Amino acid sequence: KALSQVLFLTPHLPALFLRHRLRSHILEIRQLDRAMLRLGLGQLSEEELKAACYLRGLNSTHLGVAECRAWLEQWLGLSCKLQASEASLLANSMVLLSLNYARAKE
């Protein structure tokens, strides 16, 4: 549900439109991930780290900088290995990685 809000997806839209929109968002995130990997996470401010986590589905409001950086490193390791044709796997990974990370912290 939270991920739907981040990606501006509503269940009231036709399924074909939702699929297209989700795929375009995932591919855009994938391009941002590659750029972030080239730049290096050390170059990002605390605010940028938290925004990057949020864009990828992780609620980072109660996380420290080190935790955000560790999660993003894990995410980038997965995201940058996947091909564009594996966008659905990346979308499912967003949900699994963010939910499991939040539960591990509780």
Side-chain angles (χ1 to χ4, degrees):
K1 185 176 179 179
L3 188 58
S4 296
Q5 293 172 349
V6 170
L7 299 177
F8 303 110
L9 301 173
T10 65
H12 308 293
L13 297 172
L16 181 64
F17 185 72
L18 285 174
R19 263 193 309 273
H20 174 71
R21 193 173 214 179
L22 178 60
R23 180 170 170 75
S24 69
H25 283 298
I26 293 299
L27 293 177
E28 182 179 334
I29 288 172
R30 187 174 167 268
Q31 289 175 343
L32 290 171
D33 290 344
R34 291 175 182 268
M36 193 182 323
L37 189 62
R38 283 191 301 272
L39 176 66
L41 292 178
Q43 300 296 319
L44 300 178
S45 68
E46 179 179 353
E47 187 176 305
E48 291 169 331
L49 280 171
K50 289 187 179 253
C53 288
Y54 180 77
L55 181 63
R56 287 153 184 83
L58 181 67
N59 181 0
S60 59
T61 55
H62 302 294
L63 299 178
V65 175
E67 293 169 315
C68 287
R69 187 169 282 122
W71 187 86
L72 275 173
E73 286 174 355
Q74 181 183 11
W75 169 262
L76 291 175
L78 174 66
S79 172
C80 292
K81 288 181 185 175
L82 296 177
Q83 302 298 317
S85 61
E86 299 171 313
S88 63
L89 178 58
L90 191 57
N92 286 310
S93 298
M94 287 178 85
V95 174
L96 294 175
L97 286 176
S98 59
L99 284 176
N100 287 331
Y101 193 78
R103 285 192 186 135
K105 292 293 170 192
E106 292 176 354

